[in-house]
Amino acid sequence: MGYVDEVFEMVVKKNPAEPEFHQAVKEVLESLRPIIDQNEARYRKEALLERLVEPDRQIKFRVPWVDDKGQVQVNTGYRVQFNNAIGPYKGGLRLHPSVNIGIIKFLGFEQIFKNSLTSLPIGGGKGGSDFDPKGKSDREIMAFCQSFMNELYKYIGADVDVPAGDIGTGAREIGYMFGQYKKIRGVYEGVLTGKGLSYGGSLARTEATGYGLLYLTDEMLRCNGHALAGKTVAVSGAGNVAIYACQKAQQLGAKVVTVSDSNGWIYDPEGIDVALLKEVKEVKRERLTSYAAARKSAEYHEGKGVWSVKCDVALPCATQNELTIDDAKALVANGVIAVAEGANMPTTLEATQYLLDNGVLFAPGKAANAGGVATSALEMSQNSERLSWSFEEVDQKLKQIMVNIFHNMDDAAKRYGAEGNYVVGANIAGFEKVADAMLAQGVC
Ligand code: NDP
Ligand code: 2IT
């Protein structure tokens, strides 16, 4: 059996019942085959892959809090510190009832390579809880966040591990967590990113993941003889990533015709009204039915279905495994040119293969959505130098980072005989730097 297959088998055996983690490891290891084949003896002797797939540590803790009725609730908190070969652990906190250790591990594993691709000095980590923020009062959210930080503070720090937002964690939650960290530690430091602008946040961090997704997609289209302007775009999700993906797509001259949430989806042939979407989701925290009620041109559909709409570019921005083989077939049948992942691992392995086999340009999440964490790293830099940069300055840096990521993954794919396969290119380009740093730092 080859080295890749041996390590994958070991991962499945040692981490049973963690299908998302298995999926992420499989996707990465399979595409690293060309570089691993060339270096197999050394990597085996150094147990490089065995070290890469085993987190530095996994922290799991109780999060008790009191709801508005006076009832004590108990959730489970997680932080997986996966790899700090190239910088302090960095990655978001997901608050969603589906969260379990396997999901946090898949996200933390992906984050290692994503963070490396940004070319900034950040290692890989992820955390979160099975807490469901939906329907909770502000006071309940604060109670949860403070209790979560009462335990998490022991393991994080501006030079150790710097968490940020993800599904269910936005500026409000980061604010409550930052306040509690400051109270417990008595230290004012950039321990979290995605902070509010009045206490160390970076301009353009809110927009960064969605904007970055479009900067990379635009560059990928351009380098393959297409242009984003005039294209029809389907977006899934209606959260932070989706909203700013819609906004930047429109600024670049495309028409976005869909968004979705976990209840249903919108088809708006006149183009998504981003101001209305923001009002519904960011201000009122309501469902997409409110968007449909306020806009004549919008059709609301219950359940799944965004990928059945005819589009040139598809941008999955909701959650893992939301774009299945049937969706990929529908997109190809409708003539899709490009799929770029705003979410983490939204496309199943089978669907990814189908898109690649059918000549669809495919930008994997660890490259396409890296703009969020890259701008988090820019927030860390600003915190360290106790300065804040203008929106334009951050946005310009973000754009350059995304263009560089595209070219780095494009070059890596070419170097290893897989031209145009950006899954191979992104994984190899991300891996090279981490592997080099791990080998240089010895057995640790
Ligand atoms: P938000 O919480 O702001 O929005 C998430 C959106 O996805 C909501 O519309 C939500 O619908 C929908 N969604 C979440 N879970 C599910 C589910 N199980 N089934 C169907 N729909 C679902 O999160 P973000 O926009 O921040 O994150 C979206 C994706 O982007 C995630 O995969 C995240 O890991 C990834 N990402 C985020 C970054 C960031 O900076 N925020 C950076 C890089 C990647 P509903 O409201 O109904 O739950
Ligand atoms: O998946 C991700 O890259 C994020 N949720 C953002 C992480 C960060 O540290 O900004």
Side-chain angles (χ1 to χ4, degrees):
M1 207 190 297
Y3 188 30
V4 161
D5 303 292
E6 277 171 36
V7 172
F8 182 66
E9 200 166 90
M10 179 202 74
V11 166
V12 174
K13 209 166 148 197
K14 277 181 77 170
N15 306 272
E18 295 179 7
E20 291 87 0
F21 181 51
H22 303 164
Q23 182 182 341
V25 171
K26 190 174 183 64
E27 180 245 326
V28 170
L29 291 188
E30 284 296 337
S31 58
L32 293 180
R33 276 184 197 275
I35 188 167
I36 289 168
D37 288 348
Q38 279 184 20
N39 300 281
E40 181 161 343
R42 175 148 195 235
Y43 288 176
R44 264 189 193 273
K45 185 150 191 295
E46 298 276 354
L48 185 72
L49 296 186
E50 291 87 336
R51 284 195 275 153
L52 198 60
V53 298
E54 184 76 34
D56 288 356
R57 63 196 63 79
Q58 306 181 30
I59 301 148
K60 182 177 177 190
F61 49 97
R62 181 175 67 237
V63 189
W65 56 280
V66 182
D67 73 16
D68 285 347
K69 295 189 184 108
Q71 174 66 48
V72 176
Q73 301 286 343
V74 181
N75 287 103
T76 306
Y78 303 92
R79 186 72 182 167
V80 174
Q81 298 179 330
F82 225 113
N83 187 300
N84 66 354
I86 65 169
Y89 306 107
K90 183 84 196 85
L93 296 170
R94 178 173 291 191
L95 301 182
H96 194 272
S98 64
V99 163
N100 58 44
I101 189 65
I103 289 189
I104 299 299
K105 278 165 71 179
F106 115 64
L107 290 162
F109 186 69
E110 290 278 297
Q111 201 83 41
I112 303 170
F113 308 98
K114 182 196 303 194
N115 293 3
S116 169
L117 280 170
T118 65
S119 77
L120 299 167
I122 38 178
K126 200 84 188 190
S129 174
D130 58 359
F131 174 76
D132 185 358
K134 278 203 198 87
K136 302 289 190 297
S137 69
D138 272 2
R139 196 210 58 81
E140 288 175 323
I141 297 282
M142 183 170 73
F144 170 83
C145 290
Q146 292 179 339
S147 179
F148 185 76
M149 189 52 82
N150 284 344
E151 187 64 26
L152 185 68
Y153 86 93
K154 297 171 188 167
Y155 310 103
I156 62 177
D159 293 316
V160 179
D161 182 355
V162 183
D166 193 79
I167 290 177
T169 308
R172 175 181 57 169
E173 291 73 21
I174 293 292
Y176 293 145
M177 290 181 195
F178 183 76
Q180 190 70 355
Y181 179 86
K182 185 166 59 77
K183 186 169 174 63
I184 301 171
R185 293 287 316 277
V187 177
Y188 204 109
E189 61 173 8
V191 65
L192 293 159
T193 59
K195 299 184 291 299
L197 296 178
S198 55
Y199 60 95
S202 174
L203 285 160
R205 174 61 187 91
T206 305
E207 294 84 354
T209 312
Y211 277 22
L213 171 66
L214 269 297
Y215 293 146
L216 185 133
T217 303
D218 192 35
E219 186 70 4
M220 175 173 78
L221 288 171
R222 211 179 50 76
C223 292
N224 285 280
H226 301 281
L228 191 64
K231 295 286 186 293
T232 299
V233 177
V235 169
S236 67
N240 173 265
V241 180
I243 289 170
Y244 293 95
C246 291
Q247 187 169 74
K248 184 51 75 177
Q250 290 178 353
Q251 286 172 7
L252 295 174
K255 186 192 229 186
V256 183
V257 293
T258 64
V259 283
S260 67
D261 63 19
S262 52
N263 297 113
W265 58 285
I266 295 283
Y267 175 59
D268 193 339
E270 289 188 6
I272 294 296
D273 178 341
V274 174
L276 175 61
L277 184 63
K278 281 188 185 180
E279 176 70 15
V280 169
K281 286 291 172 184
E282 291 182 344
V283 182
K284 296 184 174 157
R285 298 182 189 271
E286 288 176 355
R287 313 304 301 162
L288 284 174
T289 40
S290 303
Y291 177 97
R295 188 153 158 97
K296 260 210 178 88
S297 56
E299 291 171 16
Y300 180 77
H301 299 265
E302 200 68 28
K304 293 183 181 237
V306 263
W307 312 125
S308 63
V309 169
K310 187 172 169 53
C311 64
D312 305 305
V313 176
L315 304 175
C317 298
T319 194
Q320 64 274 1
N321 293 326
E322 54 160 310
L323 200 162
T324 64
I325 182 69
D326 290 338
D327 298 323
K329 285 180 180 166
L331 286 167
V332 168
N334 279 329
V336 76
I337 299 167
V339 175
E341 297 184 320
N344 284 306
M345 209 169 75
T347 315
T348 65
L349 291 175
E350 205 186 1
T352 304
Q353 196 54 51
Y354 186 84
L355 294 169
L356 291 172
D357 290 346
N358 283 275
V360 177
L361 300 172
F362 182 84
K366 62 172 72 66
N369 70 38
V373 75
T375 307
S376 278
L378 301 178
E379 183 172 327
M380 289 166 70
S381 298
Q382 293 168 78
N383 291 165
S384 295
E385 61 174 15
R386 304 207 191 289
L387 290 173
S388 46
W389 306 337
S390 69
F391 187 96
E392 289 67 32
E393 191 173 354
V394 179
D395 189 39
Q396 199 47 48
K397 285 188 163 71
L398 166 65
K399 190 170 183 179
Q400 196 55 57
I401 289 168
M402 299 314 295
V403 167
N404 289 346
I405 291 176
F406 173 75
H407 289 285
N408 287 341
M409 72 181 182
D410 188 38
D411 288 349
K414 284 180 186 150
R415 274 193 282 124
Y416 284 90
E419 184 164 354
N421 185 329
Y422 304 128
V423 176
V424 169
N427 284 327
I428 290 183
F431 169 81
E432 279 179 321
K433 185 173 160 191
V434 176
D436 186 65
M438 287 175 73
L439 293 173
Q441 290 170 29
V443 180
C444 58

